[in-house]
């Protein structure tokens, strides 16, 4: 602690400062601690660029545009040589992309900033990314979307329910709207989406309702309002939205327990169908792809393995689709790993932890050559996994498709283990971090002299208080031993013990005080019910021995074997007690 110009300042380590900044964001003031709602929309997306499938995702502080090619064995081969990447310095929450007149636009959303990139071919196959514009904001963004018609326009919405439409040529917002709060909301989550079928229409979704706004109007009042929350339970709230690709009237919204099909032609009774997904968390990512008249709705939550697929058959765009089954949950990556470990492969425990990380993105794509639907998911360390969901029957464990999947997972594990330890993106774990600065200074200090540390001999182990050594016990002297053994005349050959003057005189004084104390042998205490025995001490050469025999016994025979003791007869209750002249302190 230092004092500068009357003000105190403290110097702390950098890692403490970084930790305090992280703790300052948790809980997030806008979401009551659940800041994962910023991932609405997901960090995984893809477009078709020059007859090539391009995956867009973040990896290691970079935005990657990776071409992928599907082989005949249902395996995607990434083309790393022709991929494009650009540096990003913040945590990415959402990626939106579109193709207009063979011009690729990629919009990325961060917490307090939005960046717009252009994707194009540098040569015949090599891709390139170029930043066009950025739009910072003090209020955190929660959702963004690209205009499907105008390549120079996009819209954003922040946690304060402010909708803004930006023009990259004018470098300012051309439309500003604030969505009023009609009822109580659990938090500030929102989602925004352009209507692909209706020009200049923006859809705003919160926890209760879906609002339609005209981007050409300056009024904050929506032109259409649908509230699926009224048809759900009290504990449910909306969490994602995606429009149908087959009909301009229908869209899908997810909640804590259900996925609903809504019809914009009936705003009052908007919910047409409802499916229960049985997820632990609310679905945050939703995507749609179609094959002929079949529409595949793919949705996922942030929990690893929680993905669902619904297949709808459309016969007419005016009527709701037909559904012939409940939501299907494809096998998770953990189930594939367990099947592989049952064969003795992929036994590294790090692989299981990596496959158990939360989801940050989900998308579906359709391959026209193989007529298959593929589901892509991404975890928090930006690993991307895919699987085919076009099979209608359960495959055997040793089928060709499953064997290929197991082989692909094994190759992925080998590639991870080949990399250097510092290049592996490990899951975030909580550890104890300490400073080794003083230890390093000691190790590199050449002036230190080696010293031998000896154990202090004075340190003794704990010994209980009741224990005594044999030497200490042998030093103890019984000052009453001579008085007790004198009547039996056994002190002639006994060794003499040194007796200190103070204890010896104390005992003799006590004996003298009791010599003239003549009282009855049996008295009752005034304060106690138990009797107390009072003895008379007359001579230090005598010892008391109570007579336990009756008066009619022959005591002369017994007295012949006992020491000579002067005694007197005292009458008891029914027995005759022989009282000794001296009681040795007991």
């Amino acid at each position: 602690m230092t004092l500068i110009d009357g003000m105190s300042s403290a110097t702390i380590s950098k890692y403490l400062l970084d930790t305090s900044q992280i703790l300052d964001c948790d809980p997030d003031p806008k979401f009551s601690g659940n800041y994962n709602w910023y991932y609405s929309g997901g960090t995984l997306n893809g477009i078709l660029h020059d007859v090539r499938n391009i995956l867009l995702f973040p990896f290691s502080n970079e935005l990657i545009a990776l071409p992928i090619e599907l082989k005949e064995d249902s395996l995607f081969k990434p083309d790393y040589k022709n991929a494009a990447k650009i540096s990003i310095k913040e945590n990415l929450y959402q990626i939106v992309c579109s193709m207009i007149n063979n011009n690729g636009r990629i919009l990325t959303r961060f917490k307090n900033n939005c960046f717009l990139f252009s994707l194009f071919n540098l040569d015949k196959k090599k891709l390139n990314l170029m930043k066009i514009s950025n739009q910072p904001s003090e209020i955190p963004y929660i959702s963004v979307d690209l205009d499907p018609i105008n390549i120079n326009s996009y819209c954003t919405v922040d946690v304060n329910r402010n909708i803004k439409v930006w023009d990259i040529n004018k470098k300012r917002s051309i439309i500003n709207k604030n969505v009023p709060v009609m009822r109580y909301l659990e938090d500030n989550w929102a989602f925004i989406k352009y209507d692909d079928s209706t020009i200049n229409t923006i859809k705003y979704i919160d926890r209760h309702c879906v609002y339609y706004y005209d981007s050409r109007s300056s009024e904050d009042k929506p032109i259409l309002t649908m509230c699926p929350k009224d048809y759900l339970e009290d504990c449910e709230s909306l969490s994602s939205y995606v429009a149908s690709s087959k009909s301009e009237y229908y869209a899908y919204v997810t909640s804590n327990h259900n996925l609903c099909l809504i019809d914009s032609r009936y705003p009052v009774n908007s919910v047409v169908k409802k499916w229960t997904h049985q997820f632990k968390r609310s679905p945050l990512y939703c995507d749609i792809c179609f094959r002929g008249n079949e529409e595949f709705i793919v949705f996922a939550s942030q929990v690893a393995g929680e993905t669902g697929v619904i297949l709808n058959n459309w016969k007419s765009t005016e009527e709701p689709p037909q559904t012939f089954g409940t939501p299907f949950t494809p096998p998770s990556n953990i189930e594939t790993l367990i099947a592989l470990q049952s064969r003795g492969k992929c036994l590294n425990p790090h692989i299981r932890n990596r496959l158990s990380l939360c989801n940050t993105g989900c998308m579906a794509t359709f391959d026209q050559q193989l007529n298959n639907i593929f589901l892509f998911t991404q975890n928090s360390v930006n690993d991307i996994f895919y699987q085919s969901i076009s099979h209608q029957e359960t495959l055997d464990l040793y089928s060709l498709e499953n064997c290929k999947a197991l082989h692909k997972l094994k190759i992925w594990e080998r590639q991870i283990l080949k990399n250097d330890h510092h290049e592996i993106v490990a899951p975030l774990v909580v550890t104890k971090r300490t400073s080794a600065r003083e230890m390093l200074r000691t190790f590199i200090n050449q002036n230190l002299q080696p010293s031998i540390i000896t154990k202090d001999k004075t340190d003794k182990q704990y010994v209980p208080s009741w224990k005594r050594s044999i030497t200490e016990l042998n030093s103890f002297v019984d000052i009453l031993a001579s008085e007790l053994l004198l009547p039996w005349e056994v002190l002639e050959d006994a060794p003499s013990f040194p007796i200190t003057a103070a204890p010896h005189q104390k005992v003799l004084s006590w004996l003298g005080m009791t010599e003239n104390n003549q009282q009855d042998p049996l008295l009752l205490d005034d304060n106690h019910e138990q009797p107390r025995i009072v003895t008379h001490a007359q001579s230090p050469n005598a010892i008391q021995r109570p007579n336990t025999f009756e008066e009619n016994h022959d005591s002369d025979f017994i007295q012949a074997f006992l020491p000579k003791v002067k005694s007197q007869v005292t009458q008891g209750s029914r027995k005759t007690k022989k009282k000794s002249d001296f009681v040795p302190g007991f």
Side-chain angles (χ1 to χ4, degrees), residues 23-55:
L23 295 178
D24 188 44
C25 298
D26 186 14
D28 190 281
K30 303 299 182 180
F31 286 99
S32 300
N34 193 352
Y35 53 85
N36 287 335
W37 291 114
Y38 285 117
Y39 281 95
S40 180
T43 59
L44 180 64
N45 213 326
I47 56 176
L48 186 64
H49 187 270
D50 288 341
V51 200
R52 288 191 300 173
N53 291 319
I54 309 297
L55 276 182

Side-chain angles (χ1 to χ4, degrees), residues 155-371:
C155 65
T156 63
V157 61
D158 55 35
V159 294
N160 290 344
R161 304 170 68 89
N162 297 320
I163 301 175
K164 294 183 179 181
V165 178
W166 304 88
D167 192 332
I168 62 175
N169 295 326
K170 298 180 180 180
K171 298 182 180 181
R172 64 178 179 85
S173 60
I174 57 178
I175 297 175
N176 295 326
K177 293 180 181 293
N178 183 264
V179 181
V181 179
M182 300 298 182
R183 61 182 73 182
Y184 169 76
L185 296 174
E186 293 81 353
D187 52 35
N188 299 322
W189 178 86
F191 188 79
I192 197 168
K193 186 69 177 177
Y194 275 100
D195 195 342
D196 295 334
S197 59
T198 305
I199 304 176
N200 300 320
T201 300
I202 301 176
K203 304 174 186 178
Y204 176 88
I205 302 94
D206 61 10
R207 292 300 190 188
H208 290 267
C209 303
V210 179
Y211 304 95
Y212 284 69
Y213 283 93
D214 189 352
S215 60
R216 297 166 295 181
S217 174
S218 60
E219 296 183 359
D220 295 339
K221 184 178 181 180
I223 59 178
L224 178 64
T225 301
M226 297 183 295
C227 294
K229 169 70 175 177
D230 299 337
Y231 299 89
L232 303 175
E233 301 294 334
D234 295 337
C235 61
E236 294 187 79
S237 301
L238 304 186
S239 59
S240 64
Y241 172 91
V242 63
S244 174
S245 59
K246 286 294 184 180
S247 176
E248 59 181 352
Y249 308 114
Y250 295 96
Y252 300 91
V253 292
T254 62
S255 65
N256 300 62
H257 306 302
N258 299 292
L259 183 141
C260 303
L261 177 66
I262 57 177
D263 191 346
S264 60
R265 294 173 297 179
Y266 308 98
V268 179
N269 301 322
S270 58
V271 177
V272 179
K273 285 188 176 184
K274 186 169 61 176
W275 300 269
T276 302
H277 53 70
Q278 298 181 354
F279 283 1
K280 297 179 182 179
R281 296 290 301 272
S282 301
L284 195 57
Y285 320 109
C286 196
D287 195 15
I288 282 182
C289 65
F290 58 91
R291 182 181 59 185
N293 293 329
E294 298 177 340
E295 187 177 45
F296 291 83
I297 303 96
V298 178
F299 53 96
S301 71
Q302 291 184 332
V303 179
E306 281 193 352
T307 54
V309 181
I310 294 179
L311 176 60
N312 290 335
N313 294 324
W314 291 86
K315 293 184 177 180
S316 174
T317 58
E318 303 293 331
E319 298 179 358
Q322 297 179 354
T323 306
F324 299 100
T326 58
F328 169 70
T329 300
S332 63
N333 298 327
I334 295 296
E335 296 179 6
T336 306
L337 180 63
I338 292 175
L340 191 59
Q341 288 180 347
S342 63
R343 303 183 183 183
K345 301 177 182 179
C346 291
L347 300 179
N348 189 359
H350 177 70
I351 302 299
R352 185 180 184 90
N353 295 333
R354 195 157 179 172
L355 294 179
S356 302
L357 299 177
C358 64
N359 295 327
T360 59
C362 175
M363 62 165 289
T365 183
F366 170 68
D367 183 74
Q368 297 181 356
Q369 297 180 357
L370 299 179
N371 198 28

